[in-house]
Amino acid sequence: EELSAVDEKTKRKLILWLESVNVARASQCRKLSQLFRDGNMLGDLINRLEGKNPVIKGLHRRPNIRSEAYANLEKSFRFLRKNGKMNARFLWAHDDIMQGVEHIIWSLLDDVWYLYNNKISPHHEDFMFKEFDRTLDRSFDGRTLDSNRNNLKLS
C-alpha cells in the first residue's frame, strides 16, 4: 500500500485529541516524531484511552538502549494487534517509529484514533473490502442478484 502523508486537517484533529486526553500539548506535537521514538507516548496514550487500570505495563521510562525502546513499542503493538478492529499496517513498524519517520507516526496515531472512536479507518482492510464490494455491485450493469437462488440473472 502506498503511503501518503497525513494532511494538515487530520494532524489538527490528532493534536486536539492528544491534548484532550492529556497525553501531549499542542506545542509538543511539533516534535511528535521525537516524542514517539522511545515508545512511551504510545503506551501512555493507550493506557489513558483504556481507562483506570494500565494495560501497557513495565515501560522503560528512560530507555538507554535501542532494545528498550523496541520493547516499549512491542508492548503497545502487541496489545493493539489483539484488537481485531485495529488496522495492522504499522504494528510492525518499530524501526520506522524509532527512527522518527513522521508520516508513519502520524498515520499510526490516526489508526489509533479511528480505533478508539469506534470508526473504521479508510485504510483498514474491512473498509477497503466494503469499497471493493460497492465497486463490484456497480460493475454488474444490467444484472441483478436473484436472492432466492444466489445466482446472477440477466435483467
Side-chain angles (χ1 to χ4, degrees), residues 80 83 85-87 110-119:
L80 293 170
N83 185 319
K85 295 179 182 178
M86 176 65 187
N87 187 337
D110 196 35
D111 290 346
V112 173
W113 183 91
Y114 275 101
L115 172 68
Y116 282 94
N117 284 282
N118 294 319
K119 299 184 185 307

Side-chain angles (χ1 to χ4, degrees), residues 26 54 59 66 69 80 82 102-103 122 133 139 146 148 151 153:
L59 292 172
R66 186 180 187 284
L80 293 170
K82 288 179 183 177
E102 273 201 37
H103 70 277
D133 286 346
S139 67
D146 181 337
N148 294 331
N151 62 0
K153 273 175 45 174

Side-chain angles (χ1 to χ4, degrees), residues 9-98:
K9 182 179 177 184
T10 302
K11 285 181 182 179
R12 282 193 301 278
K13 169 192 79 175
L14 295 171
I15 290 168
L16 289 172
W17 178 57
L18 290 172
E19 282 188 310
S20 73
V21 295
N22 296 316
V23 171
R25 293 184 302 276
S27 60
Q28 293 175 300
C29 290
R30 280 183 246 121
K31 300 176 183 176
L32 192 69
S33 61
Q34 291 174 326
L35 295 173
F36 258 77
R37 292 172 77 158
D38 68 6
N40 278 301
M41 186 175 272
L42 181 59
D44 291 342
L45 175 61
I46 293 168
N47 283 338
R48 180 72 57 153
L49 295 170
E50 284 295 316
K52 194 169 150 182
N53 298 317
V55 293
I56 310 297
K57 298 176 183 171
L59 292 172
H60 300 277
R61 286 297 167 185
R62 297 180 196 267
N64 294 319
I65 54 177
R66 186 180 187 284
S67 62
E68 291 176 341
Y70 188 97
N72 284 349
L73 288 167
E74 180 56 26
K75 288 175 185 184
S76 295
F77 288 166
R78 192 175 319 121
F79 178 81
L80 293 170
R81 279 186 217 119
K82 288 179 183 177
N83 185 319
K85 295 179 182 178
M86 176 65 187
N87 187 337
R89 65 187 176 146
F90 298 116
L91 297 183
W92 284 270
H94 306 73
D95 291 331
D96 290 324
I97 291 176
M98 289 188 303

Side-chain angles (χ1 to χ4, degrees), residues 102-149:
E102 273 201 37
H103 70 277
I104 301 244
I105 293 169
W106 283 110
S107 296
L108 171 64
L109 259 180
D110 196 35
D111 290 346
V112 173
W113 183 91
Y114 275 101
L115 172 68
Y116 282 94
N117 284 282
N118 294 319
K119 299 184 185 307
I120 297 177
S121 166
H123 305 287
H124 193 281
E125 62 187 25
D126 288 348
F127 181 84
M128 288 191 245
F129 285 134
K130 286 177 186 172
E131 287 301 302
F132 178 74
D133 286 346
R134 283 189 200 126
T135 304
L136 201 60
D137 288 344
R138 286 190 292 257
S139 67
F140 281 118
D141 273 354
R143 298 179 188 181
T144 59
L145 184 62
D146 181 337
S147 59
N148 294 331
R149 287 189 250 154

